[in-house]
Amino acid sequence: MFAYLVKRVFQAIAVMFVISLIGFAIQDNLGDPLRELVGQSVSEEVRQELRDELGLNDSFLTQYLRFAGNALQGDLGTSYFFKEPALDVILKKLPATLELVVGASIIIIGLSIPVGVFTAIYPNSILSRLVMGLSIIGISIPVFLTAILMIFVFSVEYGWFPSYGRGDVVHVFGYWDTNFASLDGWSHILLPSIALASIMLPLFIRLIRAEMMEVLQSEYVKYAKAKGIRPWRIYFVHALKNTLLPVITVGGVQIGTMVAYTILTETVFQWPGMGFMFLEAVNRVDTPLIVAYLIVVGFIFVVTNTIVDLIYGLVNPTVNLARMGA
């Protein structure tokens, strides 16, 4: 375990270096930040003075080394638009995004396991075929279209749920405000969570179904049936445990990437999270905020991968974690 953690730390450092380098390199292609800062009426001399002040005329290597040195101290730059540290802006938006991901994850896990197991046990039933057909449709429909349809049906036509914003949130601590502590908060987060879950739910159902069907053909399941063990115990204790091993590996990583997938969902529902903030930063050419967002999302992805591998090792003790990290 210790050897594995050491390897993962070095891998994480290498990955974060590459992410920071790529994120920093693309900022010159996003546009001129001075256009948003000072407009068109400022003379070229003043523009050049501002560029020198901001260090925009320095070489790429000089700018990156300055950025990397500050980043190691927790300084990812200052947002041009918000006039405050980019990391602080992201931390204020992070709780909204994480709660949206948590809501979607609850829906995915709560539905995919029983539905996937059922379709594996009864693969030829009408309900299983219907689920498989709907899962193909679910994979094919982009999330923004699902979100728009949900808003039209449940907000515009019936008025059951609000179509934008977080509603009444309850302050927990620091930057963290939660939707899960009020009924109004729940009503606001439900539709975005379902829309975000629609990306992964069909994938999880099909993955669990495929793995479960394979496990049900194994010798130890046949032996358990021959011994007269109750079917529900075979399915949900013996078979499901082995089914979840690959699901944890693939599914855990996919849930981690949902942090990045929230961009479209947050935009459609005007959800005040990191994804919506990122698109606004791109429109404003707020390069420090864009680079900081890419680094934070990359860091979340790296941490998620490590946690998933650790959980996999705990669920399946026969796995050599040190070898996995090689």
Side-chain angles (χ1 to χ4, degrees), residues 1 4 113 220 236-250 252 306-321 324:
M1 181 70 74
Y4 169 75
I113 293 177
Y220 75 89
F236 291 97
V237 177
H238 299 284
L240 184 59
K241 182 179 179 181
N242 290 306
T243 297
L244 291 180
L245 290 176
V247 174
I248 289 174
T249 304
V250 177
T306 304
I307 293 175
V308 167
D309 286 343
L310 289 173
I311 293 175
Y312 187 88
L314 293 174
V315 174
N316 186 7
T318 62
V319 174
N320 188 325
L321 287 179
M324 283 177 59

Side-chain angles (χ1 to χ4, degrees), residues 271-305:
W271 188 262
M274 291 197 307
F276 187 50
M277 175 214 69
F278 175 73
L279 283 185
E280 289 185 322
V282 171
N283 291 330
R284 297 168 180 151
V285 199
D286 195 343
T287 50
L289 194 55
I290 294 171
V291 176
Y293 169 84
L294 295 175
I295 291 175
V296 170
V297 170
F299 178 76
I300 292 174
F301 185 77
V302 169
V303 171
T304 303
N305 277 351

